[in-house]
Amino acid sequence: MSEDVVWSSMLDHRYRVTVTRTASYQGELTIAEDDVVLHRETVGLMNDALFGPDIDDLRSWQALAANFIDGRASDQ
């Protein structure tokens, strides 16, 4: 089964953030550095992302990723 990537982006030229469809109206957000997955969580897909991600979903995913990375940096 191939992955159904809804959105993917690089954060800080270091972290790959990807949302992959896992079911109708549901996806999994993963944050990875190189090949190591640092975080994963279930996220919703507004309108099932049939024509691409909704702008509100994008904002939410970007905030989740930034908060995770910022929190990780402050722990080090």
Side-chain angles (χ1 to χ4, degrees):
M1 181 177 151
S2 65
E3 290 186 339
D4 187 2
V5 175
V6 175
W7 175 74
S8 185
S9 183
M10 288 296 287
L11 179 61
D12 294 342
H13 303 286
R14 181 174 174 183
Y15 303 98
R16 167 71 53 196
V17 183
T18 306
V19 174
T20 306
R21 184 186 320 276
T22 57
S24 293
Y25 299 93
Q26 184 174 315
E28 180 179 71
L29 178 138
T30 58
I31 302 170
E33 182 178 14
D34 297 320
D35 291 332
V36 178
V37 175
L38 304 173
H39 179 75
R40 70 177 73 229
E41 70 180 88
T42 300
V43 294
L45 301 177
M46 194 174 295
N47 301 316
D48 202 23
L50 291 176
F51 303 104
D54 182 84
I55 190 69
D56 289 332
D57 282 347
L58 279 174
R59 288 180 183 136
S60 173
W61 303 337
Q62 290 169 336
L64 287 169
N67 289 338
F68 174 80
I69 297 304
D70 289 347
R72 187 170 184 269
S74 68
D75 290 342
Q76 295 179 356

